[in-house]
Amino acid sequence: MAVETMTIEVAQASAVGFKAIGAGLAVGLAGMGTGLAQLGIGGAAVGATAENKEMFGLALLFTVIPETVVIFGLVVALLLLFT
Amino acid sequence: MFKVQRMSKLLIAASKDQLDPIVRELYRYNIFHIEDFVEQDAEGYEGFRIGKPMPNASKTSGDLLRIRSIENILGANADNADRGTLQKADALHKSIGDSLPEIEKEVNSLVAKRNDLESKVRDCDQKLADLEAFRAFPFDLSLLSGYEGFAAIAGHIPADVELPFDCEKFFTKESEGNLLVAVIPRSKVGEAETFLSEKGFVSVAIPKETGEAKARIEGYTHEKNSLSDEIAKINEQIAQLNAKHASFIVACDELLTADVERAEVPLRFATTEQTFVAEGWVPSDKVQSLTADLERVTGGKVSVTEEEVDYEKESVPIEYDNPDFSKPTEALMDIYSRPQYNEFDPTLLVSIVFPLFFGFILGDIAYGLVLLLLSIGLRGMVKDSIAGNQLLDVLRNASLTSIFFGVLYSEFLGFACPWEPFIMSRHFSIGVEGGHGPEAIILLIVTAWIGILHVTLGRILHIRNLYVQLPKGEHRSKLVFAQFGWIIVMWGVLLLIWTIAAIPLMPDLTAAPQVANFNAFLVLGALMIVIGIIGIGRESALELMELPTNIVSHVLSYTRLAAVGLSSVAIAAVVNYISIKMMIEPGMADLNVVGIVMIVAGLVIFLLGHVLNTALGLLGGGLHSIRLHYVEFFTKFYQGGGKKYMPFGKIRKFTEE
């Protein structure tokens, strides 16, 4: 059985590994969330800008709003890795 | 500074015979933002009609059209024309009358010749295309036509066939898609076509030429080449004309554009039978000199009055008033929106904070240098574009702060410099046994502090705007209290957090004195939150829904300054690790063919990786820094929506009056 053969070193190493997996999931899933949110906003923003160039600033503003989500993912990943 | 240019509204009235000198003077000054007159039946507007263009307007615009057409043909362009000395308007007007018709005639005759030659080239091309199928047909093409009893058919066919009646037939595989030519009795044409089409025959027209197809193709190719040579000669002549006349033509364009704008400006004025009235905005500090000069050119026959203006209601054109250092940042402000007349103009703040944010994120000496070179190198490409130059200036400032932060972080292409970081370390030490990771937590806390202070500043600026824009009263106090509420809720939440956990770089209040068995600061924090919520709720209960996003996520959003920066350092570190490992371990260890390939591959990875990371750094650093301003900072106080100040006039480059 794997459990019986597990030493403290192995347990520590796998804990580090799980942290890394967690960090990866945090960034990856948060990134997908941001991507999904930006999908619609970005499309509409490009359309609006194509019709009226003055919309660019506002369109950019709307498009980057969901970006905070992935930043939170990144922050969580950093916290996981460096605490 | 912090306020846009102060504006005054002027009403200029004079009799119509003074129209020309007044318009000239206004145009020369280039400061009068005209308010277009709209005809209406309201009281005080009776008898006023929109003015008519000056008599020379239609002739001048006709001339301008001709000049623009010549400009198009010659390819003359104001951007690359020789500036030289300014040309006098009077002399130029005279030479437009004298030399323009000549140039126009010359240009037009060249263009007509070129068009003629081009149409001949097209004819040749068509004939060559028709003949191409018959290249392998070794007989005189004229033999295929001119019979009474026989007809010729030709075309492509997948494979040779025998026609089911007597005929003369030629077949070759040398032509693309095979060529079949048959001369058949006229009576059998229908039958032959049906038979052949079943075999996949596609007919082609037989060219009406005399002689063998191959010889004819050579003839036409030769003709086409000599025509192309002639066109090239004409293009050269046109280029010579351009070199000779470009500066004259662009100067004419500038002069006539000015003439047309002046001639058509009465369309924006109010007029009666004998008089006209122009209304518009002028920077307040220039009112006196403009008035004096208008009186001088008209000999006092003009009335200039400064109107009483309600700056809250009128839509005042907005011109920035910033120190030179902040001027480039106006481009970033324009992308969002110009400020309104009475609100706080944050351009100066943005011009200081934006490069700091950018540098904080990118913070690498080498990347900073690359972007600095880029901002200098691209200058040639934008030349006369004001916004382009401004953005490059912003990039220059941002790359300078990147270099500065690079020194503080001790970073060069992701490598550590020979000195210890002066502030937080962002080195990843990948592949180093027992190496320290970056001080991520400290970085995150520092950026959260930046967020707390930036957001608080935004709220304070909102309170300042309320005091300037609104009259004293209950409404204003309510709004001010609401903004104050936002601030104290945020700081109350912070107090609560500090009493619960000790966080580095933040006050530790866990061991503060007790009040009725509670931590004193916990009580204070809770009290602040309650008062704050009351303040916000009194203005609008709906806004309470925004409490979590506005307080928590807006502050935490600033942690991107640390997170995005760390990810850029991580990419650099990984690129360095992979490429250097490749070069040293398999590469230098055994210097044979494989080793050399490894070294080259390592170099390619190093270059590509860092080019990619520079691009990402520019995009990440720029977009995230500006986004923090647009979304987190501006939404706290900035309204925007100001109308751009567009004075009547033009900066002259080639001519002078």
Side-chain angles (χ1 to χ4, degrees):
Chain A
M1 290 289 281
V3 179
E4 286 165 15
T5 55
M6 190 178 262
T7 62
I8 293 176
E9 289 79 39
V10 175
Q12 278 172 343
S14 45
V16 173
F18 279 124
K19 264 189 179 179
I21 292 175
L25 282 176
V27 178
L29 291 177
M32 282 169 68
T34 298
L36 281 176
Q38 286 190 334
L39 170 75
I41 306 174
V46 170
T49 315
E51 291 221 345
N52 177 6
K53 261 184 131 182
E54 282 176 18
M55 287 293 294
F56 179 75
L58 207 59
L60 184 74
L61 182 79
F62 287 142
T63 315
V64 296
I65 284 175
E67 226 159 62
T68 314
V69 178
V70 72
I71 297 295
F72 289 165
L74 202 54
V75 169
V76 167
L78 288 172
L79 286 173
L80 275 175
L81 291 177
F82 296 107
T83 42
Chain B
M1 205 188 297
F2 297 134
K3 261 186 184 177
V4 295
Q5 183 83 256
R6 299 294 92 187
M7 288 282 173
S8 300
K9 197 173 193 182
L10 287 191
L11 198 70
I12 300 170
S15 72
K16 272 187 176 164
D17 54 348
Q18 299 301 329
L19 186 60
D20 190 53
I22 288 176
V23 167
R24 266 177 197 284
E25 193 61 12
L26 289 177
Y27 196 82
R28 190 179 70 78
Y29 252 90
N30 194 14
I31 57 167
F32 189 66
H33 176 107
I34 302 173
E35 281 277 301
D36 289 1
F37 171 71
V38 184
E39 275 184 23
Q40 48 191 302
D41 295 330
E43 202 187 330
Y45 285 89
E46 306 96 344
F48 282 109
R49 290 280 164 265
I50 287 178
K52 291 197 177 63
M54 293 183 198
N56 61 342
S58 84
K59 185 186 173 297
T60 319
S61 30
D63 285 348
L64 184 59
L65 268 182
R66 281 161 58 205
I67 292 273
R68 295 246 166 103
S69 125
I70 297 175
E71 237 176 315
N72 259 336
I73 295 168
L74 294 183
N77 191 329
D79 289 340
N80 45 31
D82 178 23
R83 294 261 166 105
T85 48
L86 291 180
Q87 307 199 31
K88 292 268 180 238
D90 292 342
L92 203 57
H93 268 300
K94 203 169 158 292
S95 49
I96 288 179
D98 297 343
S99 36
L100 189 65
E102 229 169 88
I103 298 175
E104 197 179 18
K105 205 173 142 195
E106 205 170 346
V107 169
N108 283 346
S109 85
L110 282 175
V111 170
K113 243 193 238 171
R114 187 172 65 181
N115 287 346
D116 189 36
L117 291 172
E118 278 170 348
S119 93
K120 279 183 185 160
V121 169
R122 276 195 295 277
D123 276 353
C124 278
D125 279 337
Q126 185 57 47
K127 282 184 175 144
L128 282 170
D130 292 347
L131 279 165
E132 190 52 41
F134 293 86
R135 187 185 274 276
F137 186 67
F139 307 105
D140 190 338
L141 285 167
S142 64
L143 294 176
L144 293 177
S145 56
Y147 305 111
E148 255 177 42
F150 297 98
I153 50 176
H156 300 299
I157 191 159
D160 195 6
V161 287
E162 287 305 322
L163 287 160
F165 42 79
D166 271 351
C167 65
E168 284 290 336
K169 190 198 81 178
F170 171 84
F171 177 82
T172 175
K173 285 189 169 175
E174 279 170 42
S175 175
E176 197 187 324
N178 305 337
L179 176 70
L180 183 136
V181 182
V183 179
I184 52 177
R186 228 169 245 289
S187 57
K188 300 279 188 189
V189 169
E191 194 184 327
E193 275 172 358
T194 332
F195 174 79
L196 284 170
S197 69
E198 278 168 14
K199 307 282 178 200
F201 178 80
V202 183
S203 111
V204 281
I206 296 169
K208 294 198 169 19
E209 299 281 345
T210 316
E212 279 178 34
K214 209 169 171 184
R216 295 307 302 144
I217 288 177
E218 273 165 24
Y220 281 125
T221 313
H222 182 72
E223 191 181 333
K224 186 184 151 188
N225 286 343
S226 59
L227 286 172
S228 300
D229 286 347
E230 276 180 62
I231 292 178
K233 263 184 218 152
I234 290 181
N235 282 340
E236 213 169 280
Q237 279 170 298
I238 289 181
Q240 278 166 2
L241 275 184
N242 183 26
K244 196 167 146 198
H245 298 300
S247 54
F248 170 67
I249 296 287
V250 291
C252 288
D253 185 335
E254 183 180 285
L255 181 76
L256 291 180
T257 308
D259 283 350
V260 168
E261 278 176 11
R262 279 196 300 244
E264 286 179 349
V265 76
L267 288 169
R268 309 170 69 184
F269 294 166
T271 55
T272 61
E273 284 286 312
Q274 300 297 330
T275 60
F276 76 93
V277 179
E279 201 178 26
W281 298 89
V282 170
S284 301
D285 51 356
K286 299 213 173 102
V287 171
Q288 277 197 333
S289 66
L290 179 67
T291 313
D293 277 336
L294 284 177
E295 274 168 3
R296 185 176 52 77
V297 293
T298 55
K301 293 179 190 156
V302 63
S303 144
V304 183
T305 16
E306 195 174 334
E307 288 183 64
E308 289 280 322
V309 182
D310 179 355
Y311 285 98
E312 287 307 322
K313 291 203 179 118
E314 292 254 12
S315 109
V316 190
I318 303 297
E319 175 68 349
Y320 294 104
D321 182 16
N322 286 312
D324 285 347
F325 160 74
S326 300
K327 289 221 180 294
T329 316
E330 289 165 7
L332 291 181
M333 295 299 298
D334 276 343
I335 290 176
Y336 188 85
S337 183
R338 281 204 178 203
Q340 288 185 11
Y341 190 70
N342 263 343
E343 79 175 312
F344 181 86
D345 174 12
T347 317
L348 183 60
L349 280 181
V350 179
S351 68
I352 295 168
V353 179
F354 174 80
L356 286 178
F357 280 3
F358 190 99
F360 194 95
I361 292 177
L362 193 59
D364 188 296
I365 301 173
Y367 292 156
L369 283 173
V370 170
L371 293 184
L372 186 63
L373 292 178
L374 204 68
S375 70
I376 296 167
L378 286 180
R379 216 154 276 265
M381 281 178 63
V382 293
K383 255 189 186 169
D384 280 348
S385 149
I386 295 173
N389 270 313
Q390 284 182 326
L391 288 176
L392 283 182
D393 281 340
V394 172
L395 179 62
R396 182 200 58 208
N397 296 348
S399 39
L400 287 176
T401 54
S402 299
I403 296 173
F404 173 68
F405 273 93
V407 173
L408 293 185
Y409 290 136
S410 172
E411 273 175 36
F412 190 95
L413 285 181
F415 294 110
C417 296
W419 59 88
E420 284 294 306
F422 293 98
I423 49 174
M424 299 80 72
S425 157
R426 306 199 301 175
H427 300 302
F428 272 78
S429 319
I430 296 177
V432 180
E433 276 300 314
H436 289 288
E439 295 174 66
I441 305 303
I442 300 292
L443 269 165
L444 290 177
I445 295 169
V446 169
T447 50
W449 264 119
I450 296 175
I452 293 165
L453 298 178
H454 210 215
V455 167
T456 309
L457 176 65
R459 293 279 175 208
I460 292 173
L461 290 177
H462 193 152
I463 296 178
R464 177 262 173 209
N465 276 347
L466 291 173
Y467 270 107
V468 175
Q469 289 174 332
L470 295 181
K472 201 175 167 190
E474 199 189 334
H475 179 59
R476 187 174 80 177
S477 338
K478 216 188 218 175
L479 294 181
V480 169
F481 190 23
Q483 288 309 313
F484 185 66
W486 282 108
I487 297 176
I488 61 170
V489 168
M490 185 172 81
W491 284 91
V493 171
L494 282 171
L495 280 183
L496 289 191
I497 295 174
W498 292 338
T499 55
I500 294 166
I503 303 170
L505 293 184
M506 290 195 170
D508 177 9
L509 303 178
T510 45
Q514 303 277 312
V515 175
N517 277 342
F518 286 107
N519 186 317
F521 286 101
L522 187 84
V523 178
L524 180 65
L527 208 65
M528 281 164 75
I529 294 175
V530 172
I531 297 173
I533 286 179
I534 293 172
I536 302 165
R538 263 182 14 126
E539 189 213 337
S540 150
L542 263 181
E543 284 206 19
L544 289 175
M545 278 172 49
E546 285 189 38
L547 267 181
T549 50
N550 247 326
I551 306 271
V552 182
S553 44
H554 280 192
V555 169
L556 285 185
S557 187
Y558 282 80
T559 54
R560 73 182 63 226
L561 291 174
V564 176
L566 279 176
S567 59
S568 131
V569 183
I571 294 174
V574 168
V575 168
N576 292 342
Y577 178 65
I578 296 177
S579 55
I580 288 174
K581 266 261 167 175
M582 270 174 92
M583 283 190 263
I584 292 175
E585 249 314 286
M588 307 242 186
D590 187 12
L591 212 59
N592 53 17
V593 180
V594 178
I596 290 170
V597 169
M598 279 304 197
I599 292 177
V600 173
L603 275 175
V604 170
I605 290 179
F606 187 80
L607 281 178
L608 279 184
H610 283 300
V611 167
L612 177 81
N613 205 18
T614 313
L616 281 178
L618 176 63
L619 211 68
L623 265 185
H624 285 288
S625 311
I626 199 60
R627 173 227 140 92
L628 283 177
H629 281 94
Y630 287 171
V631 182
E632 273 79 17
F633 188 51
F634 282 0
T635 48
K636 303 288 177 293
F637 68 98
Y638 191 62
Q639 293 159 330
K643 183 169 76 177
K644 194 174 174 189
Y645 168 69
M646 288 198 281
F648 171 63
K650 195 175 183 189
I651 300 166
R652 304 241 177 160
K653 291 181 195 155
F654 302 100
T655 57
E656 60 182 1
E657 289 289 321

